[in-house]
Amino acid sequence: MVNYDFSGHVALVTGGTKGIGRSIALALLGSGAQVLVTYSRDQNSAGIFQDSLNSQQTAAMLLLQSDVSDPTETKRLFQESLARFGKPLTLVVNNAGILQQGDFLQLDEQSWDRTLEVNLKGPFLIGQELLRSDVAGASMVNISSVGGQTGGPKAPDYSASKAGLISLTRSMARLGAPLGIRVNAVAPGWIQTDIFTPSQLQDLQKEASKVIPLGRMGTPDEVAKSVLWLLSDESSYLTGHCLNVNGGLYFG
Ligand SMILES: NC(=O)c1ccc[n+]([C@@H]2O[C@H](COP(=O)([O-])OP(=O)(O)OC[C@H]3O[C@@H](n4cnc5c(N)ncnc54)[C@H](OP(=O)(O)O)[C@@H]3O)[C@@H](O)[C@H]2O)c1
């Protein structure tokens, strides 16, 4: 991975203890940032993540259990940055997300609401706090999905939330620009993580060789590379952009 220098920055990665978020958090720690990493319910993965860090990474990392859909908790993240590191958040990655596979006709209202709360309301609450904090030079990246671009019969709630996130990214980009805050999105395709059950992963791996032009699923590190680029000044003239990281699965 390219060596960025994020020293002096405090970053937030929601859902950063596993999967794509973990790769992003580790890449940021490796680039000199101090990093707030959140998780929601999986204490085991959080413990494994914490134990995997060396002493330098441990000193630069603050692990917090926090639900992105709770406004009190999202506010606290911004306060924790000041309290622990003495600096405001300037790099924000809205990565936390849930995928509950289910047919449209069986989807119940509670599941619909929960998906939208985590995947769309969470980034809204965090984005609102970032814009309120008015820190010129800040950069935010929202993790959307190819499902938000193509729609998805198996998880229509998820696809709607991720489509909404692209739109929210563009609204926040317009609002953030006069403040010197950039806001972009990344839309991953099929990435090998625990968001899928082992049997779903097996099916996707087989299917990938047929439907993905690059012939395989992507890795969390491949998404992290794009996220770090969007966070960095190397992408200083991009805002409101949605970057596809999907092996050619969708070109739009
Ligand atoms: N994998 C893919 O193919 C793919 C494709 C496109 C987009 N994405 C998106 O990429 C992001 C990361 O996905 P992933 O594949 O790495 O999934 P993952 O391995 O399941 O990780 C999801 C992370 O989000 C956290 N999270 C869930 N609900 C939360 C909440 N209410 N508040 C705070 N954190 C919460 C989880 O924490 P706990 O485990 O502690 O609950 C976990 O750390 C998601 O937004 C996902 O939609 C993934």
Side-chain angles (χ1 to χ4, degrees):
M1 199 173 298
V2 176
N3 278 331
Y4 296 99
D5 181 5
F6 288 122
S7 46
H9 286 274
V10 185
L12 166 67
V13 183
T14 63
T17 53
K18 56 163 83 155
I20 294 170
R22 178 178 176 278
S23 284
I24 297 167
L26 290 176
L28 283 165
L29 285 168
S31 306
Q34 291 166 305
V35 187
L36 260 76
V37 174
T38 74
Y39 68 103
S40 163
R41 284 176 308 178
D42 185 353
Q43 306 240 357
N44 187 43
S45 293
I48 293 170
F49 170 74
Q50 207 163 20
D51 292 347
S52 73
L53 302 181
N54 61 35
S55 56
Q56 204 181 353
Q57 291 169 324
T58 300
M61 198 275 300
L62 177 61
L63 180 65
L64 294 167
Q65 186 169 24
S66 169
D67 181 343
V68 287
S69 67
D70 180 334
T72 311
E73 293 190 20
T74 51
K75 270 195 177 64
R76 180 168 72 100
L77 300 175
F78 286 77
Q79 291 157 359
E80 289 285 358
S81 174
L82 293 168
R84 167 70 189 260
F85 299 117
K87 285 175 278 189
L89 285 169
T90 45
L91 305 172
V92 172
V93 185
N94 281 310
N95 167 77
I98 52 170
L99 167 65
Q100 314 174 81
Q101 301 273 3
D103 293 332
F104 182 66
L105 296 182
Q106 265 77 53
L107 185 63
D108 61 51
E109 197 182 330
Q110 285 83 359
S111 301
W112 170 274
D113 286 349
R114 188 60 190 150
T115 301
L116 271 286
E117 269 181 16
V118 176
N119 295 3
L120 188 55
K121 185 172 130 185
F124 152 66
L125 292 170
I126 290 174
Q128 199 176 42
E129 283 306 313
L130 181 69
L131 267 59
R132 276 184 184 139
S133 70
D134 194 5
V135 186
S139 182
M140 177 159 65
V141 175
N142 297 321
I143 309 299
S144 179
S145 169
V146 68
Q149 298 167 310
T150 62
K154 296 228 181 89
D157 51 335
Y158 179 83
S159 297
S161 71
K162 294 297 186 177
L165 188 52
I166 295 172
S167 172
L168 179 65
T169 298
R170 294 183 174 148
S171 297
M172 293 194 295
R174 288 181 189 278
L175 294 162
L179 309 173
I181 299 174
R182 294 187 302 116
V183 186
N184 290 289
V186 166
W190 300 355
I191 310 300
Q192 295 179 53
T193 73
D194 293 345
I195 205 166
F196 303 113
T197 64
S199 82
Q200 284 169 341
L201 262 181
Q202 252 185 354
D203 292 346
L204 286 173
Q205 271 158 352
K206 274 191 217 142
E207 192 71 6
S209 60
K210 293 183 224 147
V211 302
I212 298 180
L214 289 182
R216 62 175 176 83
M217 294 184 75
T219 66
D221 281 352
E222 287 174 315
V223 180
K225 283 184 212 173
S226 295
V227 172
L228 260 70
W229 178 69
L230 284 173
L231 289 174
S232 80
D233 282 345
E234 296 302 308
S235 61
S236 53
Y237 200 51
L238 270 84
T239 197
H241 185 69
C242 179
L243 182 61
N244 296 339
V245 184
N246 63 23
L249 181 60
Y250 174 77
F251 293 130

